Amino acid sequence: MKGILYICEVGSIVLDENLEIVSTWKYPKSAQIDSYEKLKRGELPSGLMDLLNSIKNIDALIVVESELGRSLSKEGFQIEDASNELIDELMFKKISLMVKSGLASSKDDAKDKIRNFAIALSEFKLRKVSAKPDLHIIEAIQALDEIDKTKNTLFSRVKEWYGLHFPELISFFENSTAYVKVISKFGGRENIKKEELVKLGFSIEKAESISISAEISKGGEIRKEELKRISDVAKEVIRLDSLKDKFTSYIEKNMGNVAPNITAVVGANIGARLIAKIGGLKKLAMLPASTIQVLGAEKALFRALRTNTRPPKHGIIFQHKAIHSAPKWQRGKIARSIATKIAIAARIDAFRGRVDKGIEERLQIRLDEIERKYREPPKKKVREIPEQLKKKTRRKKTRKEKKRRGKKGGKRE
Amino acid sequence: MERENRIDSVHWLIINGEKRIATVNLFPGVQVYNEKLIVKEDIEYRLWDPFRSKLAASIIKGLKTLPFQEGSKVLYLGASTGTTASHISDILGENGVIFCVEISPRVARDLLDKCVKYRKNMIPIIEDARKYGNYYSLFGNIDVVYCDIAQPDQTDIAISNCKHFLKKGGDLLLVIKSRSINVIKKPSQVFKEEEKKLRRAGFKVKQIIPLDPFDKDHILIHTMFV
Ligand SMILES: C[S@@+](CC[C@H](N)C(=O)[O-])C[C@H]1O[C@@H](n2cnc3c(N)ncnc32)[C@H](O)[C@@H]1O
């Protein structure tokens, strides 16, 4: 006789070919999702083996889930795939099968159980995806920094080494990659020809000055072998540079998915750094704007608390163009309004997930307003300096006191 | 533009002199998408916004019959945050079921928190509608498939879902946004091609409704699976 193995939300059923119940295994209540997922993946929990071993005179099993079928046939079971007609029929009769098998006490109970399971499984799926992507972004932004650091280290090496041969070359470049590209292309300075440089995109004037300074360079002669080694390192710098591009676009793409609102406010890079600093999107969403404003400036913040001087106005978000390109006296205000918007954006990204175009617009309005209102630097307050000094001296006293207390052997706070 | 049609489960209310459609709130007191709640003679209605829901737009634009009613089983592909699905849930009532398939976890969050939590007739399925073999928790005969997933291959997706789950004589409501199928082709051309696909797959076209001005270059096709 053939049996049919039917996996339901709250248990598994073995049926005969007339869809009469042969045997049932109810999943443990606390492990419904887990059991169901395991079975779908083709794992064989002990409960299933007990169910299958308990049934007699069944020589072949018809199985709906193909993964599970494969695992079972490895275990020596005679397995057949279910036909589409059978799958449809099982689905049509699912509710009554659940009642007949004792998995549910009534049709309503079966529906309730299915719905509760569907909700629990959905929650489980949402948790699974929502737990991960920000962690990957954190790794990626840290990898990006490490790649950048390595690139800079190797670049300095190339600069110093090649500098023995042609020290003047570096002064023509602002960008390290363009410099190493020239080295890896030409090698020795005597190969650097004006026409070739123009072909690479240099202006005629610049190409000319480079080739002239190659002719009159103060650098020493160099052997082919050393040039080859320098060029090896130069190529590595170029490769790391394109690796950086890859990571940058990875971060941009994923920030757009994971934190679209933060990305709209401060861009993918700064957004990712903020998330990395605090250790996750949810955590960022829990922070007040004032903390977000100084995130990444902990050193300066603690120094300020210790010495009772003014706290820093901005940390990571200082990299935002709107802040560092603004006049000094506006920066605090800009930083504050950006931090406020990040806090709102982070909460939407972490808990609601929709794109809210309004945040970015309101930020721009506020930035324009700051620019208009505070065009002139504020007049210096004369009193400010003595007041700060006073505070400083008072603070020093307390520290001395503390020290004294410590020596006496009193408890430290 | 407005043609008052007789669909029993959809109510026409006069609000500030304007005719609006609404459904009876299955879970009174709770809004799904900030829609207005209106109480008349002890019944709470939810206004159904044609700018937010293409099904509402098609009703206002003259959809002759709603294929589902109290107690029906509906398979909804692309449930999103549940704007339209919640009104269908109102209409199906406690004896009906609406299976809500949605691929994106981000929007499914709202679907769970704002709809499913309160509405006993909603069953969430977080899955790609292309992988209908993975739907868990589907049961019984499906009376109507509603499909609005804005994908280039969505007509094919709708067809294969119907072939698996829709009963013979059941209905498919398919929203077609010409831009998500082909940006370059003329909308009328796109609509014609999708319609042809449906006919070839054995669907009988009952009604085609352009959804402008609520949604530009969108139509809703009402077909029957024979
Ligand atoms: C235009 S929206 C639907 C709006 C909804 N019908 C309403 O009126 O409230 C399209 C939805 O389909 C979902 N979707 C897209 N591709 C899908 C797929 N392959 N399977 C399931 N859902 C999909 C999207 O995530 C999106 O939420």
Side-chain angles (χ1 to χ4, degrees):
Chain A
M1 189 184 75
K2 281 181 190 169
I4 300 165
L5 175 61
Y6 186 39
I7 308 296
C8 280
E9 282 81 350
V10 288
S12 294
I13 311 171
V14 177
L15 307 152
D16 66 15
E17 278 176 296
N18 304 317
L19 298 194
E20 296 299 331
I21 312 286
V22 176
S23 187
T24 308
W25 163 45
K26 220 180 201 167
Y27 309 144
K29 204 162 181 194
S30 57
Q32 280 175 4
I33 302 280
D34 194 48
S35 310
Y36 182 85
E37 285 270 300
K38 272 189 182 146
L39 291 165
K40 288 267 167 188
R41 277 200 304 267
E43 289 174 32
L44 305 172
S46 60
L48 179 76
M49 299 320 280
D50 292 346
L51 172 75
L52 296 179
N53 291 329
S54 74
I55 46 180
K56 305 276 171 303
N57 56 31
I58 280 186
D59 22 61
L61 261 186
I62 301 172
V63 180
V64 177
E65 282 76 17
S66 44
E67 286 294 324
L68 189 59
R70 234 165 286 151
S71 307
L72 284 170
S73 78
K74 272 188 209 147
E75 290 292 308
F77 286 88
Q78 193 66 37
I79 299 297
E80 284 175 28
D81 284 338
S83 66
N84 283 339
E85 292 73 38
L86 176 63
I87 295 175
D88 289 351
E89 197 175 357
L90 288 171
M91 198 186 75
F92 293 147
K93 296 189 172 160
K94 182 170 185 170
I95 298 284
S96 61
L97 288 175
M98 282 175 72
V99 177
K100 273 193 218 152
S101 65
L103 288 176
S105 58
S106 66
K107 287 193 171 183
D108 281 340
D109 182 45
K111 283 183 197 170
D112 267 356
K113 286 202 158 108
I114 288 175
R115 179 171 170 275
N116 289 338
F117 176 89
I119 293 173
L121 186 57
S122 301
E123 294 281 356
F124 173 78
K125 286 188 173 191
L126 295 198
R127 264 199 309 276
K128 223 167 53 179
V129 294
S130 67
K132 272 192 213 148
D134 54 342
L135 300 185
H136 287 288
I137 288 176
I138 294 176
E139 297 295 333
I141 191 95
Q142 281 162 356
L144 178 66
D145 285 348
E146 282 148 7
I147 293 165
D148 194 42
K149 218 164 125 193
T150 313
K151 189 199 122 178
N152 288 336
T153 313
L154 291 182
F155 169 69
S156 303
R157 180 59 48 226
V158 174
K159 196 171 74 176
E160 212 175 296
W161 199 347
Y162 194 72
L164 297 176
H165 173 56
F166 185 6
E168 297 83 0
L169 183 64
I170 187 70
S171 64
F172 294 95
F173 294 90
E174 278 162 11
N175 159 330
S176 56
T177 323
Y179 171 77
V180 285
K181 273 186 181 155
V182 166
I183 294 174
S184 92
K185 176 156 173 56
F186 295 103
R189 65 178 184 237
E190 63 284 355
N191 299 332
I192 304 182
K193 293 277 151 25
K194 189 179 135 190
E195 302 75 45
E196 296 291 316
L197 286 169
V198 173
K199 265 190 218 157
L200 279 184
F202 288 90
S203 68
I204 296 182
E205 297 80 50
K206 198 163 182 182
E208 184 147 324
S209 347
I210 293 176
S211 67
I212 289 175
S213 78
E215 276 166 32
I216 60 170
S217 171
K218 292 201 188 70
E221 294 303 316
I222 193 165
R223 296 189 308 165
K224 270 226 172 72
E225 193 182 355
E226 279 78 32
L227 276 174
K228 183 75 188 55
R229 296 289 81 81
I230 297 173
S231 158
D232 286 343
V233 187
K235 286 200 182 99
E236 207 55 28
V237 175
I238 297 167
R239 211 179 55 84
L240 288 171
D241 200 61
S242 73
L243 198 56
K244 263 181 68 180
D245 289 344
K246 258 191 216 160
F247 274 73
T248 306
S249 55
Y250 167 87
I251 290 165
E252 262 159 26
K253 189 179 111 217
N254 286 281
M255 279 293 287
N257 286 330
V258 173
N261 291 293
I262 296 179
T263 305
V265 174
V266 284
N269 190 293
I270 298 179
R273 282 176 200 288
L274 290 167
I275 293 174
K277 185 79 215 173
I278 195 72
L281 176 59
K282 282 246 162 68
K283 288 184 189 158
L284 185 65
M286 306 296 222
L287 294 184
S290 54
T291 309
I292 293 176
Q293 191 181 334
V294 293
L295 213 56
E298 286 74 13
K299 264 194 200 155
L301 183 65
F302 289 130
R303 192 182 335 112
L305 289 175
R306 225 174 26 242
T307 56
N308 211 3
T309 48
R310 253 193 273 168
K313 292 197 190 74
H314 26 247
I316 290 170
I317 64 172
F318 185 72
Q319 293 163 22
H320 196 291
K321 215 173 109 247
I323 301 181
H324 71 234
S325 65
K328 263 210 173 93
W329 64 89
Q330 291 179 2
R331 288 180 189 168
K333 290 190 176 59
I334 297 176
R336 199 167 327 122
S337 73
I338 291 181
T340 312
K341 295 296 183 285
I342 295 172
I344 298 168
R347 281 162 216 172
I348 300 177
D349 285 337
F351 303 113
R352 265 202 286 148
R354 272 207 232 97
V355 178
D356 182 348
K357 293 223 173 69
I359 307 179
E360 201 187 345
E361 282 162 21
R362 286 193 297 275
L363 175 63
Q364 199 49 53
I365 291 171
R366 175 65 185 145
L367 293 185
D368 294 343
E369 186 185 282
I370 292 173
E371 221 227 295
R372 250 184 298 110
K373 261 194 175 162
Y374 304 95
R375 197 154 284 168
E376 299 304 320
K379 296 205 182 76
K380 276 212 174 105
K381 287 179 207 145
V382 202
R383 270 217 210 124
E384 211 175 67
I385 303 159
E387 216 173 53
Q388 268 193 344
L389 280 179
K390 247 200 276 172
K391 273 185 191 162
K392 255 188 190 169
T393 42
R394 204 193 306 149
R395 183 75 194 148
K396 264 183 190 155
K397 249 188 211 161
T398 28
R399 264 160 80 202
K400 264 185 212 157
E401 277 169 14
K402 257 192 186 167
K403 241 188 202 167
R404 232 179 285 140
R405 236 192 287 154
K407 271 182 192 159
K408 273 183 197 164
K411 261 189 196 167
R412 290 214 179 173
E413 279 149 288
Chain B
M1 180 187 83
E2 285 178 21
R3 249 163 296 162
E4 188 166 340
N5 38 13
R6 294 226 36 85
I7 296 176
D8 289 341
S9 42
V10 175
H11 302 266
W12 293 78
L13 307 178
I14 312 275
I15 311 281
N16 303 331
E18 258 183 76
K19 257 194 212 156
R20 307 282 302 272
I21 60 171
T23 52
V24 177
N25 197 352
L26 184 65
F27 198 90
V30 175
Q31 294 165 301
V32 173
Y33 56 103
N34 265 333
E35 71 281 14
K36 262 219 174 77
L37 302 179
I38 290 182
V39 181
K40 275 202 170 140
E41 287 159 15
D42 281 347
I43 297 175
E44 185 179 285
Y45 297 90
R46 297 166 57 226
L47 286 193
W48 194 354
D49 185 348
F51 287 99
R52 301 284 302 275
S53 166
K54 287 157 213 148
L55 186 55
S58 65
I59 291 170
I60 290 175
K61 290 287 313 272
L63 179 71
K64 286 191 207 115
T65 51
L66 257 193
F68 44 80
Q69 59 245 317
E70 154 97 68
S72 301
K73 284 201 185 73
V74 176
L75 173 59
Y76 193 121
L77 309 178
S80 190
T81 53
T83 306
T84 300
S86 65
H87 285 285
I88 298 180
S89 151
D90 281 347
I91 293 169
L92 302 181
E94 281 175 0
N95 295 319
V97 183
I98 173 167
F99 299 96
C100 300
V101 178
E102 172 56 53
I103 193 172
S104 155
R106 301 197 69 81
V107 297
R109 180 81 270 158
D110 269 3
L111 181 70
L112 289 179
D113 292 349
K114 296 202 173 147
C115 296
V116 175
K117 193 164 128 196
Y118 304 107
R119 297 168 171 273
K120 284 264 153 66
N121 60 10
M122 279 188 151
I123 295 188
I125 300 180
I126 315 282
E127 189 52 81
D128 185 341
R130 292 183 190 91
K131 301 187 189 154
Y132 46 80
N134 288 348
Y135 294 172
Y136 46 93
S137 306
L138 204 69
F139 59 81
N141 252 319
I142 297 294
D143 301 305
V144 178
V145 172
Y146 184 100
C147 177
D148 178 15
I149 54 176
Q151 294 290 320
D153 55 340
Q154 67 154 359
T155 305
D156 299 320
I157 296 176
I159 291 171
S160 47
N161 271 272
C162 289
K163 289 206 162 143
H164 265 83
F165 307 116
L166 188 60
K167 68 175 188 196
K168 282 263 174 301
D171 295 65
L172 163 68
L173 294 172
L174 177 64
V175 175
I176 301 178
K177 174 183 177 185
S178 78
R179 255 201 310 139
S180 54
I181 290 176
N182 192 318
V183 216
I184 306 154
K185 270 190 202 154
K186 272 210 327 226
S188 58
Q189 185 65 31
V190 172
F191 298 148
K192 221 176 269 163
E193 282 167 17
E194 301 306 304
E195 189 191 329
K196 211 190 269 168
K197 272 188 208 164
L198 288 168
R199 286 187 202 276
R200 241 184 282 130
F203 288 82
K204 215 180 102 202
V205 175
K206 284 180 152 178
Q207 204 183 356
I208 297 181
I209 303 161
L211 299 185
D212 62 293
F214 303 110
D215 291 283
K216 229 185 113 215
D217 297 336
H218 280 67
I219 56 167
L220 180 134
I221 302 193
H222 180 186
T223 62
M224 202 174 88
F225 186 45
V226 281

